[in-house]
Amino acid sequence: MPNILEVKNLVKNYGDFQAVKGVSFEIAEGEIFSLLGPNGAGKTTTISMLSTLYTPTSGDATIGGHSISKDPMGVRNIIGVVPQDLALYEDLTAKENLIFWGQMYGLSGKSLASRVDEVLGQIGLTDKAKDRVKTYSGGMKRRVNIGVGLLHKPRLLFMDEPTVGIDPQSRRAILDTVKDLNKQGMTVLYTTHYMEEAEELSDRVGIIDHGQLIAIGTQKELTKQVGETETLILHISENDDPEALAKAFRDIKEVLEANVVNTEISVITPSAKDVLAAVVTKANERGIKIHSIDIREPNLEAVFLHLTGRALRD
Amino acid sequence: MLKTFIIGIKDLRLAFRDRAALIFMLAAPFALTLGLGLVTGRFSGNSSGISDIPVIIVNLDKKELGNALEDLFSSQDLAELVEPVSGSSPEAARQSVDEDKSAAAIIIPEGFTNSIIPSQADFANGNEPEAIQIEVYANPSRPTSAGIIKSIVDEFISRVEEGQVSAQTSILQMILSGRITPEQAEQAGIEMGQRLQNSPNVDTLAIKLNSTTADGEAVQFDILAYLAPGMALMFLMYTVSHGGRSILAEKAQGTLPRMLVTPTNSMQILGGKVFGIFLTGAAQMLILIGATTLLFQLKWGDGFGVVMLVFAAVFAATGWGMLITALARTTAQVANVGSAIMLIFGILGGSFISLEQMPLAVQTFSKITPNAWALDGFTTLGLGGTLADLFAPITALLTMGIILFLTSVVLFGKKNLVQK
């Protein structure tokens, strides 16, 4: 598939602070591409430049052949944006909101009316269409926020952390909506700091940290970067000494790495089952009770840890 | 253009769904008008709230009509309203007005009566008498009082002109029918005038603060016609600052950035916001005018003039709202500055105390407020004026609005309100 988005050395400076440091990547038509990174990594700034809200300090990007710097109006006609924070008029109803935003995208008359009805159905709010948005739950508001971005059937949809601060049920509904939209042919650029969302949704993932794109590829390609390893996650009591136990784990021959976060110890090894007995023995020798043990396959969390030395949630 | 209109309509709708804003936009000015109307005795029907207007009359005519006008101002019916003083020199009278000792000087030129009632010789020779006009030299710092004096004189002249036409027609008919000779015409005219004056059916014009509108309807000056626009204009400043605040509020709540990633340029968006403020302000003014007309039977005057004046006043006020927004950094700053401006302009513009009672310096400074100009216009309309009499206030308001808009656009450009 041809690329719908091509980003070349995109830079954004705020005075001396460099928020985005020469980011380059492409997205093929029909793809779901996730930008994964912790808060403050530069995800929103990148999306804001690509959606023509912010002017890049240097570099450029083309969307559907339109340059974000030279032809912002051309870009705006083919993109949809779902911002991280709700951007709705709470004193208007869901339907009034959709009509207003549809008009901002140039829709009118019957095409506007039918698209508003379709989108209301798509976000599951047909019955509540005439209620003011301020009476909605957080999840319902999020759905309207997404609906606004879909009105004009954009070729490329930017979704900036659309599941932040909502209940699991609404989160599930949003993730399913993203998948449905993609099945209908829409290309999606999705930003998140939730590894599970990136893993579930994405064809490809770009990992961004401190304004730099530090890795890009399919999930398989990325996890290969940390090798064929598995991770043992052990939970112990607060009163025990996890640092001392982790140090003891590092003495086991097959253990590559052992890290501590609060009462959780993660042990990276080529084969979890081969070290499991040794790990339990080391804990018993010190009189430490293990509350639970999980074995995890290589994932994006591990990739981020491997690349930055920090967990995604830090 | 269409998107500008759509944004404006959206803002109008949002403004009228905001209960807190509605209290300030409609309930507060209405309640204050009602309260001040009660205080001034408007609803007890025994006071206009204006009294003892100093006026200087220079009667150089010294004949029937000149004397009649002078007598009118000294009549019992106008005793509470005006305080007339006779003068002998037009220059001295004008100086008295210039020195703010009088609200107006009425100068009745020599030959005024003869210009209306031709002499026997003129009538016999068929000579048209030279038109001579009464001069009302008005004090610009006392527009309301001067307007009242002018309306009394206008009413007097209007009645005289009506009588002149009727009398000339009647006497001409009498000559043509042979009932009188041309030599008897002057005496017949004088007798006719005296009979009319003594007739019980003739409404002495000056009893009320009357002037005559274009369609001949008598208009009574009403203190509410001063108070109601004063309050409406003061709270119009709240509306425009509230509207200006919505620009910064939309930025904070993300709807402004969201608009900017639609195929809509920033000038369309800014234009839409301005249009929304203008629409809201105009709707507020027109609702208040409609409500006071229906509930207080308040006559605002010439309808077309009222609408044009409202649009001009709202345009200028919107300019102030935009300037405040362009200078402020946060919605709280706009709210605070907007409230302060609302009160300062209300006081300066004469919403609480008539400008005539303020020092000259304050009266001059008040010209920076839309309130003062618009109130001047509403007073003119309340006294029977029409759109043609509103040239000065409307021109001033439009000029003020244009200057403020241009300044705001420059400031918004420097501030880079929406882009980062």
Side-chain angles (χ1 to χ4, degrees):
Chain A
M1 292 290 268
N3 289 334
I4 188 167
L5 172 69
E6 293 182 355
V7 184
K8 290 170 192 164
N9 286 319
L10 213 53
V11 172
K12 183 67 185 176
N13 295 340
Y14 296 111
D16 292 336
F17 175 68
Q18 199 164 31
V20 177
K21 303 170 182 171
V23 166
S24 299
F25 63 97
E26 295 90 34
I27 300 179
E29 192 118 37
E31 201 177 21
I32 298 181
F33 181 90
S34 289
L35 268 181
L36 176 68
N39 291 327
K43 302 185 297 290
T44 300
T45 307
T46 302
I47 274 203
S48 297
M49 285 189 284
L50 296 177
S51 61
T52 74
L53 183 63
Y54 298 173
T55 310
T57 305
S58 65
D60 198 1
T62 55
I63 299 176
H66 304 278
S67 159
I68 59 168
S69 308
K70 293 169 193 153
D71 184 15
M73 280 295 171
V75 170
R76 291 174 194 175
N77 275 312
I78 57 172
I79 62 165
V81 180
V82 179
Q84 183 174 349
D85 297 317
L86 295 171
L88 302 167
Y89 298 103
E90 298 224 338
D91 275 325
L92 298 183
T93 66
K95 188 166 188 171
E96 286 168 343
N97 264 288
L98 291 176
I99 289 171
F100 172 75
W101 290 110
Q103 289 170 325
M104 288 296 102
Y105 279 104
L107 300 176
S108 61
K110 285 181 183 171
S111 64
L112 173 65
S114 67
R115 272 307 288 159
V116 166
D117 288 342
E118 279 172 36
V119 169
L120 280 169
Q122 211 165 358
I123 59 176
L125 288 173
T126 303
D127 294 342
K128 299 271 186 184
K130 291 182 180 174
D131 291 352
R132 291 193 192 178
V133 169
K134 69 180 176 189
T135 65
Y136 286 3
S137 68
M140 289 160 79
K141 288 177 184 175
R142 285 272 170 197
R143 277 141 69 187
V144 181
N145 203 39
I146 291 172
V148 168
L150 308 176
L151 281 162
H152 60 301
K153 294 185 178 173
R155 284 173 64 195
L156 173 60
L157 181 66
F158 294 115
M159 301 185 85
D160 191 9
E161 307 215 39
T163 60
V164 169
I166 59 168
D167 59 278
Q169 197 182 349
S170 297
R171 186 183 186 191
R172 181 75 263 147
I174 288 172
L175 296 180
D176 289 343
T177 303
V178 176
K179 287 188 216 170
D180 286 345
L181 290 168
N182 184 245
K183 274 182 195 164
Q184 292 163 25
M186 196 176 286
T187 309
V188 180
L189 171 52
Y190 190 97
T191 75
T192 183
H193 63 268
Y194 296 125
M195 176 207 60
E196 307 82 8
E197 289 184 4
E199 285 181 343
E200 179 179 341
L201 293 174
S202 318
D203 297 308
R204 288 190 309 133
V205 177
I207 296 177
I208 188 167
D209 189 40
H210 294 305
Q212 282 181 305
L213 200 60
I214 54 177
I216 190 165
T218 62
Q219 195 178 333
K220 214 170 197 176
E221 288 166 350
L222 290 173
T223 50
K224 266 189 184 172
Q225 292 188 21
V226 289
E228 297 294 325
T229 58
E230 292 175 332
T231 306
L232 272 175
I233 307 287
L234 296 90
H235 288 96
I236 61 172
S237 296
E238 279 180 20
N239 300 330
D240 294 322
D241 184 356
E243 284 294 347
L245 188 56
K247 194 179 173 195
F249 290 161
R250 289 181 201 118
D251 294 337
I252 301 168
K253 194 181 168 188
E254 293 85 356
V255 170
L256 301 173
E257 212 173 306
N259 298 302
V260 176
V261 178
N262 300 323
T263 58
E264 183 183 292
I265 305 170
S266 54
V267 179
I268 299 171
T269 170
S271 171
K273 69 177 172 47
D274 290 348
V275 298
L276 188 56
V279 163
V280 172
T281 304
K282 292 275 184 190
N284 286 341
E285 283 171 4
R286 282 160 183 75
I288 294 173
K289 187 183 175 188
I290 298 171
H291 293 294
S292 66
I293 300 177
D294 293 327
I295 299 173
R296 291 187 188 164
E297 299 284 319
N299 60 19
L300 294 174
E301 175 82 47
V303 176
F304 191 84
L305 189 69
H306 172 73
L307 292 171
T308 66
R310 292 178 290 114
L312 253 175
R313 60 180 172 272
D314 287 352
Chain B
M1 192 67 191
L2 180 64
K3 286 184 181 177
T4 299
F5 182 78
I6 290 164
I7 294 168
I9 295 291
K10 179 264 299 172
D11 278 358
L12 176 69
R13 182 178 282 171
L14 285 173
F16 278 84
R17 285 187 184 176
D18 182 344
R19 285 182 191 169
L22 282 179
I23 289 172
F24 277 93
M25 283 164 53
L26 299 175
F30 191 79
L32 274 170
T33 303
L34 181 66
L36 288 171
L38 288 167
V39 169
T40 54
R42 192 290 190 174
F43 297 106
S44 57
N46 57 9
S47 170
S48 70
I50 296 173
S51 61
D52 297 330
I53 301 169
V55 57
I56 190 160
I57 302 170
V58 181
N59 183 3
L60 302 175
D61 182 47
K62 302 285 183 194
K63 290 197 173 178
E64 290 86 351
L65 292 177
N67 293 342
L69 182 56
E70 199 172 2
D71 290 347
L72 174 63
F73 274 91
S74 307
S75 69
Q76 192 58 38
D77 294 315
L78 294 181
E80 280 189 20
L81 181 69
V82 294
E83 217 175 66
V85 175
S86 291
S88 54
S89 153
E91 288 73 25
R94 289 189 194 102
Q95 193 179 346
S96 171
V97 173
D98 290 340
E99 289 170 359
D100 200 28
K101 290 176 185 166
S102 299
I106 300 167
I107 297 157
I108 309 165
E110 191 179 348
F112 173 65
T113 300
N114 284 346
S115 74
I116 306 289
I117 306 170
S119 66
Q120 189 178 342
D122 284 341
F123 206 89
N125 298 334
N127 293 339
E128 277 288 319
E130 188 187 350
I132 294 176
Q133 289 187 332
I134 294 175
E135 178 189 353
V136 178
Y137 188 73
N139 185 340
S141 63
R142 302 191 191 196
T144 312
S145 298
I148 290 169
I149 299 299
K150 191 170 178 298
S151 76
I152 295 171
V153 174
D154 285 348
E155 174 69 11
F156 176 83
I157 292 169
S158 169
R159 292 294 177 97
V160 166
E161 283 173 348
E162 278 175 29
Q164 182 195 24
V165 172
S166 308
Q168 279 181 351
T169 309
S170 305
I171 288 170
L172 191 63
Q173 285 298 322
M174 289 189 335
I175 294 169
L176 291 173
S177 63
R179 291 184 184 169
I180 59 170
T181 63
E183 290 74 24
Q184 294 170 310
E186 184 182 3
Q187 188 55 38
I190 291 167
E191 285 172 7
M192 192 180 290
Q194 283 169 345
R195 275 201 303 278
L196 277 171
Q197 199 173 10
N198 295 330
S199 165
N201 296 327
V202 174
D203 182 13
T204 40
L205 28 113
I207 315 295
K208 297 172 188 170
L209 300 180
N210 278 355
S211 77
T212 305
T213 56
D215 58 3
E217 183 190 357
V219 177
Q220 185 173 19
F221 182 77
D222 186 336
I223 188 63
L224 272 193
Y226 186 85
L227 293 174
M231 289 301 121
L233 288 163
M234 187 171 80
F235 284 92
L236 172 65
M237 292 308 297
Y238 165 81
T239 303
V240 296
S241 66
H242 183 75
R245 192 172 50 173
S246 80
I247 295 176
L248 298 181
E250 285 219 41
K251 186 186 176 191
Q253 75 190 28
T255 43
L256 188 63
R258 187 166 213 168
M259 267 190 255
L260 280 163
V261 297
T262 66
T264 312
N265 65 48
S266 43
M267 285 314 290
Q268 283 175 305
I269 295 169
L270 195 59
K273 296 300 295 178
V274 171
F275 184 55
I277 299 169
F278 178 84
L279 279 181
T280 309
Q284 175 198 17
M285 291 293 291
L286 293 173
I287 288 170
L288 285 171
I289 288 169
T292 50
T293 303
L294 288 172
L295 298 174
F296 302 151
Q297 283 75 50
L298 178 58
K299 291 187 174 164
W300 288 74
D302 175 48
F304 189 57
V306 167
V307 172
M308 289 294 115
L309 186 60
V310 164
F311 286 164
V314 175
F315 179 72
T318 304
W320 277 107
M322 295 306 292
L323 184 68
I324 294 167
T325 309
L327 290 171
R329 290 182 179 174
T330 64
T331 52
Q333 280 180 355
V334 179
N336 293 336
V337 174
S339 300
I341 292 269
M342 178 183 87
L343 283 173
I344 292 168
F345 279 16
I347 294 165
L348 272 182
S351 293
F352 293 103
I353 307 163
S354 171
L355 280 171
E356 293 177 13
Q357 293 168 34
M358 293 190 189
L360 196 62
V362 175
Q363 291 179 27
T364 307
F365 193 58
S366 74
K367 297 300 180 191
I368 67 159
T369 73
N371 309 50
W373 287 106
L375 205 47
D376 188 13
F378 282 118
T379 304
T380 302
L381 291 171
L383 292 167
T386 62
L387 182 62
D389 302 314
L390 299 179
F391 178 77
I394 287 182
T395 306
L397 288 165
L398 293 179
T399 307
M400 184 187 293
I402 290 167
I403 291 169
L404 291 169
F405 275 117
L406 292 176
T407 310
S408 306
V409 167
V410 171
L411 289 172
F412 274 126
K414 283 186 180 172
K415 197 174 181 177
N416 203 359
L417 182 70
V418 284
Q419 294 279 343
K420 282 190 182 175

